[in-house]
Amino acid sequence: PVHPFMLTVDEIHKTGATVNTITLSPLSEAELNLLVADTLNCESSLAQPLTKLVYQKTQGNPFFATQFLKALHDDQLISFYPPQSPLGKGGSQGGWQCDIAKVKSLAITDDVVEFMALQLQKLPRETQDVLKLAACIGAQFDLNTLVIVSEQSAAMTATALWKVMQEGLVIPTSKIYKFFTESESDEVVKASANPTYRFLHDRVQQAAYSLIIDSQKKATHLKIGQLLQQNCSKIEQEEKLFDMIGHLNRGIELISQPSEREALAQLNLKAGSKARSSTAYAAARIYLQTGIELLTANCWQSQHELTLNLYVAATEAAYLNADFDGMEQLAERVLQKARTILDKVKIYEIQIAALTAQSQMLEAIAVARDALLQ
């Protein structure tokens, strides 16, 4: 329910739009039997015992089922014996064989994220570390960003990624990855265009993210945000503003220096304004509210301009989100604290627009008259 796609669909529903849903159910045991038989190139009847075990663990989840089969093969519980092999039990034809008894005895979790996390833990430590950071960045990521947040050379980062790409759990979205093998120098990597990647599946990203200890997640996001700030050019910071501030805001509790909190409040104001310009009104409101929460107790005296700008922008964002009660509360606060009539005018304009939007024309005229009398 908290997946970005599901949240987006919920928002679309709230607008009154018609949303047609196609529900994809898990594979049935019979369908899974066909998948297992096709994978092992055998008759469906011969695949039935293994199918039953896979179905018990995965409940027909296609992604989980294929990863489960792959893990059994990696652990040599499913093996291929060539024709005439003395180890083969299927006669002279050879073929795939599975040790059902050993599979039954395994204490394998039936939670797909936990299962994938166990598979990722089999990878080299440096690859796991890079994957954790990639998972923080998102479902898709690029090498340059990963180099910045990993604080390693481009060649080392690309080599670590190569390990998980060989497992098929991270997929390149461009062909540039062919340049990046263990033997490549850092100069070759830097001379190439910035390659992009994606996780094979959302569950792989979740599994990689779960490898970070809960108590360290906020600190990890904060460090990523700070590294992006320090190592990106002004243009890159503008392009990555939402990503950068997303990380910084997740580590907001760890920021105690007043100057750093004020700088982050400024960034939230910038992000709120940018989101508002993109008609992302709900996101704009969140950024602006976060900025307000970062202000000091005596902000109207010590941070007057920043405080005024945040409150005015938040008042407009509340109006654009049709939260007229919240808008009035913020507006009243500004009218009490504003130093000049020009500062108040911005609030009067928002109030007039909000009343007009609600077809309260007489009230809108009254606000305008009060403003003119000041």
Side-chain angles (χ1 to χ4, degrees):
V2 297
H3 189 281
F5 174 75
M6 300 305 295
L7 294 173
T8 302
V9 171
D10 287 342
E11 289 299 317
I12 294 172
H13 269 297
K14 290 176 184 176
T15 65
T18 301
V19 178
N20 297 312
T21 301
I22 301 173
T23 302
L24 298 180
S25 59
L27 299 176
S28 66
E29 190 168 343
E31 291 165 335
L32 188 60
N33 181 235
L34 294 175
L35 186 150
V36 175
D38 189 54
T39 301
L40 302 181
N41 194 27
C42 67
E43 297 294 330
S44 57
S45 57
L46 293 175
Q48 191 57 48
L50 179 57
T51 298
K52 189 172 183 179
L53 287 173
V54 176
Y55 189 77
Q56 287 174 350
K57 284 295 178 187
T58 67
Q59 295 300 304
N61 179 316
F63 169 73
F64 195 177
T66 53
Q67 291 300 314
F68 184 67
L69 287 170
K70 184 177 182 299
L72 293 179
H73 176 253
D74 291 343
D75 293 339
Q76 299 183 336
L77 296 173
I78 296 177
S79 303
F80 183 78
Y81 296 102
Q84 307 300 333
S85 169
L87 297 175
K89 302 174 184 177
S92 60
Q93 292 182 346
W96 291 98
Q97 294 178 17
C98 178
D99 192 329
I100 298 295
K102 282 189 177 180
V103 176
K104 283 184 176 179
S105 66
L106 291 177
I108 301 175
T109 176
D110 56 4
D111 179 272
V112 63
V113 174
E114 187 178 340
F115 174 80
M116 290 310 304
L118 292 171
Q119 304 312 305
L120 295 179
Q121 287 174 318
K122 297 176 183 178
L123 295 168
R125 173 57 57 185
E126 58 271 18
T127 297
Q128 291 184 48
D129 291 340
V130 167
L131 272 182
K132 292 175 189 176
L133 296 171
C136 290
I137 294 170
Q140 299 188 44
F141 54 94
D142 64 88
L143 182 63
N144 287 353
T145 301
L146 201 54
V147 167
I148 290 172
V149 301
S150 66
E151 298 181 278
Q152 295 183 2
S153 69
M156 288 178 65
T157 305
T159 299
L161 268 183
W162 183 254
K163 300 288 186 183
V164 75
M165 286 166 60
Q166 289 176 308
E167 296 295 323
L169 298 176
V170 165
I171 310 294
T173 56
S174 62
K175 297 300 181 184
I176 303 169
Y177 76 94
K178 290 182 178 178
F179 292 109
F180 305 125
T181 60
E182 294 181 54
S183 61
E184 298 296 351
S185 67
D186 203 34
E187 286 71 24
V188 171
V189 177
K190 288 181 177 178
S192 304
N194 182 25
T196 55
Y197 311 85
R198 67 174 175 84
F199 282 96
L200 171 66
H201 193 280
D202 285 345
R203 294 294 181 263
V204 179
Q205 181 194 359
Q206 290 176 4
Y209 191 71
S210 73
L211 296 179
I212 306 173
I213 301 171
D214 287 343
S215 60
Q216 294 180 355
K217 285 179 178 175
K218 291 180 180 178
T220 301
H221 280 288
L222 179 59
K223 185 177 181 180
I224 289 174
Q226 291 172 335
L227 286 169
L228 290 174
Q229 264 189 307
Q230 294 163 9
N231 293 278
C232 290
S233 65
K234 292 292 184 182
I235 295 175
E236 290 173 328
Q237 284 188 29
E238 189 67 33
E239 293 173 348
K240 297 178 183 291
L241 176 61
F242 294 125
D243 293 332
M244 184 173 65
I245 202 166
H247 291 297
L248 292 171
N249 283 347
R250 293 192 72 165
I252 203 168
E253 295 176 13
L254 304 177
I255 303 174
S256 56
Q257 289 293 329
S259 59
E260 292 180 6
R261 291 179 69 84
E262 182 172 337
L264 184 52
Q266 289 277 14
L267 272 179
N268 273 282
L269 173 59
K270 188 176 181 179
S273 300
K274 189 173 182 179
R276 181 249 180 270
S277 299
S278 303
T279 68
Y281 301 138
R285 191 174 187 187
I286 293 171
Y287 289 127
L288 295 167
Q289 185 57 42
T290 302
I292 289 173
E293 291 169 2
L294 284 161
L295 297 171
T296 61
N298 64 334
C299 57
W300 286 102
Q301 287 74 42
S302 61
Q303 304 165 297
H304 184 80
E305 185 178 357
L306 172 59
T307 303
L308 178 67
N309 290 335
L310 277 167
Y311 269 89
V312 170
T315 303
E316 184 185 29
Y319 152 58
L320 293 171
N321 281 281
D323 179 9
F324 299 114
D325 290 338
M327 183 208 76
E328 282 300 333
Q329 291 176 10
L330 290 164
E332 187 61 32
R333 183 77 169 160
V334 177
L335 293 176
Q336 289 174 358
K337 299 292 185 177
R339 293 173 178 171
T340 69
I341 181 60
L342 291 178
D343 292 338
K344 294 181 180 180
V345 163
K346 300 171 186 175
I347 294 299
Y348 291 137
E349 289 177 345
I350 296 169
Q351 288 179 321
I352 292 168
L355 291 167
T356 303
Q358 298 173 81
S359 299
Q360 298 180 22
M361 302 305 181
L362 292 177
E363 290 84 349
I365 291 171
V367 171
R369 285 172 59 86
D370 289 343
L372 290 170
L373 290 171
Q374 299 217 15

